[in-house]
Amino acid sequence: MELRVLKYFLTVAREENITRAAAICHITQPTLSRQMMQLEEELGVKLFHRGGHNILLTEEGMLLRRRAQEIVGLAEKTEKELIHGEENISGEISIGCGETRNMKPLSEMIASFQAKYPDVSFRMDTAIADDVKEHLENGTLDMGLLLEPVEISRYHFVRMPIKEKWHVLMRKDAPLAAKEKITPSDLAGIPLIVAKRQSVRNELENWFGNDLQKLHVAATCNLSYVNQSIMVERGIGVAMTMDFSGSYDSLCLRPVEPEIVSGCVLVWKKDQMQSFLIARFIAHVKEYLSGIEKGKRNS
């Protein structure tokens, strides 16, 4: 498979129309059609359902689209890294992020880094830790901001300064809203909206302890405090979540007891040669965090 043909394929997949895709790719429609048929012959699978006015991807086509996006993205990233050297610090740094208040100090690091190197851009991808780690492994992300618990033995990391405390998000008219803190027994039999990630589920199950058998999971979510808030507002259940200080007039947060505290780490792959740009940003991050620690010791 040629990189050029994969780019053509991605354009066709996005436009769902050969004529429009051909115009974008600056080639003729018959040439593009022939390229796509040759790609199907090369792979030995059917990639498209061809209709009168549009074409849709088959299951095999959707798989190739995911892989082609990774391949093309990695090729473009590599090209940028080779072009930009130490003398001209520019390019893109890609970071996968979970939902955490540690985005605030990370954003401060990014802003201060860009103040020094204005030609550097950042691409932020929001995803759960498992998906971020997958993209770190295939090289389409440079770094990951991961909420613990998470397995990080394959990564170098720095620990972020903000600890996340678990809360229960509920409607203000819910009976539990009258309590200052929520215990496992308080949630027995109450519909819950909980994290989908298994390592987080394990930690919550340990917290529930003997009350685990009384747990009623109404829904699971991988991300999005906003989506959880809407589900809670509509009465689907209460949500086990972090304190993101949302501004929903009809909702409130109550801390859990015993307390559950989660750390957060910024990671990058071990045993991998970093580009000059990434190495410089890592050094900047460590310097920034060192300054925070020094300030705490002196206060």
Side-chain angles (χ1 to χ4, degrees):
M1 288 182 291
E2 295 182 28
L3 189 62
R4 170 179 53 84
V5 176
L6 287 180
K7 291 180 179 180
Y8 290 166
F9 166 77
L10 288 174
T11 304
V12 174
R14 184 183 69 245
E15 297 298 320
E16 297 183 350
N17 182 281
I18 283 286
T19 303
R20 287 199 303 269
I24 292 171
C25 295
H26 304 291
I27 58 176
T28 65
Q29 184 268 331
T31 299
L32 183 57
S33 295
R34 185 168 59 254
Q35 292 275 10
M36 293 302 97
M37 287 188 287
Q38 289 174 350
L39 181 60
E40 289 178 316
E41 291 174 4
E42 179 183 351
L43 298 174
V45 295
K46 184 177 180 181
L47 299 173
F48 303 101
H49 294 297
R50 292 172 171 83
H53 300 287
N54 62 357
I55 58 176
L56 301 175
L57 293 177
T58 63
E59 289 187 10
E60 291 81 3
M62 287 187 282
L63 173 60
L64 179 60
R65 179 176 60 184
R66 290 195 297 271
R67 295 293 180 255
Q69 287 169 339
E70 293 173 358
I71 293 168
V72 170
L74 186 57
E76 292 175 347
K77 179 177 174 57
T78 302
E79 182 179 0
K80 290 178 182 178
E81 290 176 349
L82 291 173
I83 291 173
H84 302 296
E86 182 172 352
E87 297 78 12
N88 179 28
I89 299 178
S90 59
E92 181 184 80
I93 298 174
S94 54
I95 305 176
C97 306
E99 287 184 331
T100 167
R101 290 183 299 150
N102 281 286
M103 271 302 300
K104 183 177 184 293
L106 178 58
S107 296
E108 292 170 355
M109 297 176 206
I110 290 172
S112 56
F113 191 74
Q114 287 182 319
K116 292 182 179 179
Y117 310 113
D119 292 331
V120 176
S121 63
F122 284 79
R123 190 187 87 234
M124 314 301 290
D125 291 351
T126 303
I128 61 173
D130 295 342
D131 292 340
V132 171
K133 288 167 63 178
E134 179 181 343
H135 289 294
L136 285 169
E137 290 302 317
N138 64 33
T140 54
L141 285 175
D142 297 310
M143 307 178 78
L145 184 65
L146 308 179
L147 191 64
E148 294 177 311
V150 62
E151 170 56 44
I152 55 172
S153 61
R154 294 174 58 86
Y155 305 98
H156 293 298
F157 69 93
V158 292
R159 193 162 294 283
M160 299 296 285
I162 299 176
K163 299 290 186 181
E164 301 285 4
K165 294 184 179 181
W166 283 82
H167 288 67
V168 178
L169 179 68
M170 66 191 79
R171 291 167 55 122
K172 288 182 179 178
D173 58 4
L176 287 180
K179 300 179 68 69
E180 291 185 4
K181 295 183 178 181
I182 306 300
T183 66
S185 59
D186 290 331
L187 295 174
I190 292 180
L192 293 178
I193 302 167
V194 297
K196 181 180 179 181
R197 189 155 64 93
Q198 190 57 51
S199 58
V200 177
R201 294 281 296 275
N202 292 342
E203 182 160 320
L204 292 178
E205 288 173 2
N206 289 335
W207 180 77
F208 277 100
N210 295 332
D211 293 293
L212 180 61
Q213 300 304 319
K214 304 172 186 176
L215 191 64
H216 175 200
V217 177
T220 60
C221 292
N222 58 353
L223 278 176
S224 182
Y225 179 81
V226 173
N227 288 349
Q228 286 181 330
S229 300
I230 293 172
M231 294 173 75
V232 171
E233 198 172 35
R234 292 297 179 266
I236 293 174
V238 301
M240 299 290 292
T241 186
M242 308 296 178
D243 180 7
F244 291 114
S245 302
S247 57
Y248 290 83
D249 294 337
S250 61
L251 305 180
C252 63
L253 282 164
R254 295 291 180 267
V256 299
E257 180 68 31
E259 189 177 72
I260 309 176
V261 179
S262 295
C264 186
V265 289
L266 182 65
V267 307
W268 58 96
K269 281 191 70 176
K270 287 181 178 179
D271 306 320
Q272 177 173 295
M273 181 68 70
Q274 300 290 348
S275 69
F276 180 82
L277 174 59
I278 302 302
R280 181 61 66 91
F281 182 66
I282 291 171
H284 180 80
V285 166
K286 290 180 177 179
E287 182 181 358
Y288 180 95
L289 293 174
S290 176
I292 291 178
E293 286 301 314
K294 185 177 180 179
K296 288 180 180 178
R297 290 194 298 268
N298 293 337
S299 62

